[in-house]
Amino acid sequence: RKEVEQDPGPFNVPEGATVAFNCTYSNSASQSFFWYRQDCRKEPKLLMSVYSSGNEDGRFTAQLNRASQYISLLIRDSKLSDSATYLCVVNMDNFNKFYFGSGTKLNVKP
Amino acid sequence: DGGITQSPKYLFRKEGQNVTLSCEQNLNHDAMYWYRQDPGQGLRLIYYSQIVNDFQKGDIAEGYSVSREKKESFPLTVTSAQKNPTAFYLCASSTTGGYGYTFGSGTRLTVV
């Protein structure tokens, strides 16, 4: 079983739609959780950290469910510029070892 | 501006050659990492270093070597023992606690 699993998609949604991605992780002792965004042929960039209480940044909301070992990302009012691959990242063994999911591809259509 | 620089952006290697990918950071980060990404797949950890003159194998270290002689630099050598080296290679750095995790812009390596 992979340490971090994501639905690869693609999720094809119209502009203005709300879309949600989930990511499951295998190690219940995981300490830190993040969502990264990766544009085609570019490096991943931090979108947001995921806190136990949930957190929101504009149109983006991240949630953590430790009991079920998953994190989620909700995007409201999708924009064309949101089209990218979204990577779930989990810190497993120690602070310096991060595991990346294979990513969920989002296509926002006009 | 502080950042992490990878070079070259594109690299072509002949069969049987060793090549070295450069990674330099001026963020004063203690930890540095090398990842490999294949099309449609996530990042896989090759090597990481938490301090100068020390580094650890990641999940796919075979066929790769690294050095950490300076805090700012963490070069990766792809040796001829790596049978399928064509991939996108990403270097990253962070503080000791894993904060400020930042990626370089990557090197695309192709075997010709």
Side-chain angles (χ1 to χ4, degrees):
Chain A
R1 183 184 172 190
K2 291 184 180 178
E3 291 87 357
V4 181
E5 296 204 63
Q6 295 183 251
D7 180 342
F11 285 60
N12 298 308
V13 303
E15 272 187 290
T18 296
V19 61
F21 313 133
N22 281 344
C23 162
T24 59
Y25 60 93
S26 61
N27 189 333
S28 59
S30 298
Q31 300 177 24
S32 307
F33 309 87
F34 309 88
W35 283 102
Y36 275 72
R37 170 193 169 127
Q38 186 174 26
D39 293 294
C40 189
R41 302 179 73 83
K42 300 282 190 179
E43 75 274 21
K45 293 187 177 177
L46 179 65
L47 180 65
M48 57 197 304
S49 302
V50 186
Y51 304 120
S52 297
S53 55
N55 49 301
E56 188 173 308
D57 182 3
R59 299 182 292 108
F60 298 85
T61 300
Q63 297 275 359
L64 167 62
N65 185 317
R66 284 193 183 273
S68 300
Q69 292 182 210
Y70 75 85
I71 66 172
S72 64
L73 177 68
L74 179 79
I75 305 175
R76 290 180 298 278
D77 189 23
S78 299
K79 311 290 185 192
L80 294 177
S81 57
D82 293 334
S83 297
T85 296
Y86 291 83
L87 304 175
C88 169
V89 184
V90 177
N91 169 264
M92 290 280 188
D93 301 319
N94 58 56
F95 283 119
N96 287 329
K97 199 169 181 185
F98 291 75
Y99 285 88
F100 288 76
S102 56
T104 298
K105 187 169 176 59
L106 172 65
N107 295 318
V108 181
K109 310 283 189 182
Chain B
D1 288 334
I4 182 165
T5 302
Q6 287 187 245
S7 62
K9 194 172 180 70
Y10 298 96
L11 186 58
F12 297 89
R13 188 193 96 170
K14 292 183 180 179
E15 295 275 359
Q17 277 185 338
N18 292 354
V19 290
T20 297
L21 283 58
S22 171
C23 179
E24 303 276 334
Q25 54 99 0
N26 61 3
L27 298 165
N28 200 32
H29 284 168
D30 289 307
M32 297 187 74
Y33 317 79
W34 274 104
Y35 291 90
R36 168 183 173 139
Q37 187 175 36
D38 294 282
Q41 298 193 33
L43 279 66
R44 291 183 290 167
L45 183 65
I46 304 173
Y47 270 98
Y48 65 104
S49 167
Q50 299 185 46
I51 197 169
V52 174
N53 292 324
D54 187 44
F55 47 83
Q56 290 78 41
K57 291 182 179 180
D59 301 310
I60 55 164
E62 186 175 349
Y64 301 97
S65 65
V66 293
S67 63
R68 187 87 188 274
E69 297 177 2
K70 299 186 300 181
K71 186 176 184 178
E72 300 79 18
S73 179
F74 191 40
L76 173 75
T77 296
V78 184
T79 75
S80 56
Q82 171 49 241
K83 297 306 178 189
N84 187 21
T86 294
F88 186 40
Y89 290 87
L90 286 157
C91 180
S93 69
S94 75
T95 64
T96 303
Y99 299 104
Y101 212 89
T102 304
F103 284 92
S105 57
T107 293
R108 290 199 179 274
L109 173 63
T110 303
V111 173
V112 295

